[in-house]
Amino acid sequence: MRIATGGISHETNTFADTLTTLEDFERRVPGVLRGPGVIEGLRGTGSCTGAFIAASEKLGFELAPLLWTFAQPSGLVAQEVYDALSAEFITRLEEAMPVDGVLLGLHGAMVTEQIEDAEGDLISRVREVVGPDAPIIATLDLHANITPLMVEAATALFGYDTYPHIDHIERGTEAAQLMVDTIEGRVEPVIGYRQIDMLLPPPKQCTLISPMRDIFALVHAAERRFGVLAITMSGGFPFSDIHDVGASVVVHTAGDADLAQSIADELAEAVWERKDEFSLQLTPVEDAIAYALKAGEGPVIMADGSDNPGGGAPCDGTVMLEALIKADAPRSTVAIIADPEAVEGAFAAGVGSEVTLTVGGKTDDRHGKPLELTGYVRLLSDGLYKNKGSMMTGMAVGMGRTAVFVVGGVEVILTSNRIQPFDMQALRCVGIEPTDRLLIGLKSAVHYRADFQPIARAIFEVDTPGVHRPVLTELEFKRVRRPIWPLEG
């Protein structure tokens, strides 16, 4: 049994100003992996493709690795970049033929300059190569905007059950097992699909808290019904302004199309009935700081989801940093501000030097102004680490050249690359112990909860500006289908 594998992934924030280039795909560790490099680079990692590799060794099938890459979330993918990567992917698949099936590790929310549904396009092109009978099974992020084309072209779609995403291995293993069972004729999966006319703000998609925790309890109960193979409940990525943006549900059954569709409809209605619970309230930054100063003990986490690089924001917003400095907050950390220019200034000054740097606010005027700050350089680093928490365990992360810049009681992790600091190693690799801090400001919407929530005295989702701001009614949507909640009730 020979199964091809690979993927081109991106979570596209169409409200972000920056175009996603080939350099963005190459820059994010591990970069663009080709052929045997896919297996060499992802074996043993907490990724879906890592799970495919482990499953091939356990179940005894051969993997034909094609191409794998995942750029940091950002703005529209340059059309020429997608065209080149997808053409190479398809060429490698054609050269690998014949194969019995294809396992794809995708995201589900990639938008190019000309294509709203890049995953649907890629899966359809894979289908043209392998023919109508070979199974194509893709893993997707919980924030996938699942489209009719994706459902039509694929045999099965496995989305994550968790946010923070800590079940890559489980979903990848499940997808690989269904692939083997389908090829060997033990099951014939069919799909039921329902879009839900709702845009869900990311903090409310967190599966550690209600209502999403309760929705997934219903999903798991439905998966135990006779004949059900798997269910994908996707919260969608609301910052992709496309027609098919939003929540959806995909149900896989063993040959019973009516059962699959009835369960999809049932779960979609359950989400709709609780729509008002998906509204959220943000906390003023000053209130979160005041809480920490009064408590005197931490760490108190301030989640700056509006400037979350994991959702396409520039990660150089300064509102939270400015408030911490103004409050003269002790034992405080901001992780991170991506500012290559400030990093170079810190490197030029050297460790231990006092220096004045202009920090942040350089990508656009939507995330706070640049701050001219005088402080000292505590540490310089290459910014490399591996995740040790429960999300994407073992995956390498590259922050690029990195500096710890200290202003009063506030230390700022300045990086050359945008990364979402959801793992405590982002702080520990530069000598900052999170459990010793009073206040930690994180450029993250939810993923930080996987590693930081267990140590947090309190968590606040703070009210800051940005292209990933979860108050969706403030965004100017042009392409989304209407009506859709919360834009219309």
Side-chain angles (χ1 to χ4, degrees):
M1 185 184 301
R2 192 161 185 264
I3 299 169
T5 191
I8 304 168
S9 295
H10 187 252
E11 185 178 59
T12 305
N13 187 321
T14 62
F15 297 98
D17 295 333
T18 53
L19 198 64
T20 303
T21 66
L22 180 59
E23 183 184 2
D24 293 315
F25 283 94
E26 294 172 335
R27 180 190 298 123
R28 186 180 189 186
V29 177
V32 181
L33 303 177
R34 294 176 166 91
V38 174
I39 294 177
E40 294 167 6
L42 297 175
R43 175 184 275 118
T45 63
S47 65
C48 289
T49 303
F52 298 161
I53 296 165
S56 72
E57 296 165 351
K58 179 180 179 180
L59 300 176
F61 61 83
E62 178 189 356
L63 273 182
L66 308 175
L67 178 149
W68 185 98
T69 187
F70 196 156
Q72 184 72 21
S74 46
L76 291 168
V77 177
Q79 190 62 40
E80 63 180 5
V81 172
Y82 173 74
D83 289 345
L85 289 172
S86 59
E88 180 181 351
F89 189 96
I90 295 302
T91 296
R92 287 179 176 274
L93 176 60
E94 290 170 340
E95 293 172 348
M97 294 294 288
V99 298
D100 298 296
V102 183
L103 281 169
L104 297 172
L106 304 177
H107 183 281
M110 177 163 55
V111 185
T112 75
E113 290 179 288
Q114 297 174 18
I115 303 172
E116 286 195 356
D117 176 16
E119 282 86 359
D121 177 79
L122 183 62
I123 298 171
S124 296
R125 292 165 67 181
V126 169
R127 175 61 70 198
E128 290 175 3
V129 175
V130 302
D133 298 325
I136 301 172
I137 299 179
T139 55
L140 300 173
D141 197 280
L142 185 139
H143 308 300
N145 293 317
I146 300 176
T147 68
L149 181 58
M150 293 162 64
V151 172
E152 177 186 352
T155 305
L157 301 169
F158 282 82
Y160 308 151
D161 284 356
T162 61
Y163 183 32
H165 308 324
I166 59 172
D167 61 337
H168 298 77
I169 295 294
E170 289 85 350
R171 299 291 75 76
T173 301
E174 193 175 14
Q177 183 65 64
L178 183 61
M179 173 65 75
V180 172
D181 290 344
T182 302
I183 291 172
E184 294 184 345
R186 286 190 289 275
V187 295
E188 184 178 349
V190 296
I191 289 179
Y193 166 64
R194 172 86 176 268
Q195 286 184 324
I196 307 171
D197 292 330
M198 294 175 63
L199 302 177
L200 307 184
K204 285 294 185 175
Q205 293 188 39
C206 178
T207 56
L208 298 174
I209 58 177
S210 294
M212 211 59 165
R213 178 177 58 193
D214 305 332
I215 296 300
F216 270 93
L218 296 176
V219 168
H220 296 149
E223 284 180 321
R224 292 191 289 270
R225 298 186 196 179
F226 179 79
V228 177
L229 300 172
I231 298 175
T232 289
M233 173 65 70
S234 179
F237 185 62
F239 302 99
S240 292
D241 183 13
I242 63 172
H243 180 270
D244 289 305
V245 65
S248 60
V249 57
V250 177
V251 178
H252 308 84
T253 62
D256 191 336
D258 290 340
L259 176 63
Q261 191 57 51
S262 68
I263 294 175
D265 292 339
E266 174 187 326
L267 290 172
E269 289 301 322
V271 177
W272 178 260
E273 288 172 3
R274 300 187 66 168
K275 63 181 183 297
D276 292 339
E277 295 179 49
F278 285 95
S279 299
L280 82 161
Q281 188 119 21
L282 300 175
T283 301
V285 176
E286 294 77 11
D287 290 358
I289 295 172
Y291 171 91
L293 293 176
K294 182 177 181 180
E297 296 180 8
V300 173
I301 305 296
M302 297 193 299
D304 183 1
S306 300
D307 192 31
N308 172 24
C315 199
D316 70 348
T318 57
V319 171
M320 185 166 56
L321 172 60
E322 184 176 29
L324 285 167
I325 293 172
K326 183 178 180 179
D328 195 22
R331 295 186 292 121
S332 300
T333 301
V334 173
I336 60 174
I337 290 187
D339 188 337
E341 181 181 285
V343 169
E344 292 310 307
F347 268 80
V351 173
S353 298
E354 183 176 282
V355 64
T356 298
L357 301 175
T358 302
V359 174
K362 295 170 183 170
T363 303
D364 55 39
D365 60 358
R366 303 157 73 180
H367 299 80
K369 63 187 179 183
L371 302 178
E372 186 171 297
L373 302 173
T374 298
Y376 76 95
V377 180
R378 177 187 293 166
L379 178 141
L380 300 172
S381 165
D382 62 8
L384 291 173
Y385 65 90
K386 286 188 176 180
N387 293 325
K388 292 186 176 181
S390 57
M391 181 175 167
M392 302 192 76
T393 310
M395 286 290 284
V397 180
M399 297 191 291
R401 279 159 58 102
T402 297
V404 177
F405 180 54
V406 183
V407 182
V410 183
E411 53 203 357
V412 190
I413 302 175
L414 299 172
T415 67
S416 301
N417 296 337
R418 293 183 310 120
I419 66 103
Q420 184 177 181
F422 58 76
D423 193 291
M424 285 194 282
Q425 284 302 113
L427 280 67
R428 286 174 172 156
C429 78
V430 290
I432 297 172
E433 174 48 51
T435 56
D436 291 340
R437 296 307 183 261
L438 174 65
L439 275 154
I440 303 175
L442 297 172
K443 300 299 183 77
S444 177
V446 172
H447 283 326
Y448 68 91
R449 288 182 181 268
D451 213 19
F452 286 88
Q453 182 165 300
I455 70 164
R457 177 184 176 90
I459 293 175
F460 294 96
E461 290 155 351
V462 292
D463 191 351
T464 54
V467 297
H468 197 259
R469 181 172 166 80
V471 185
L472 303 176
T473 52
E474 296 179 0
L475 298 174
E476 187 178 350
F477 288 91
K478 297 179 180 178
R479 296 184 177 182
V480 62
R481 66 191 183 281
R482 310 297 278 262
I484 193 165
W485 185 93
L487 308 186
E488 294 86 23

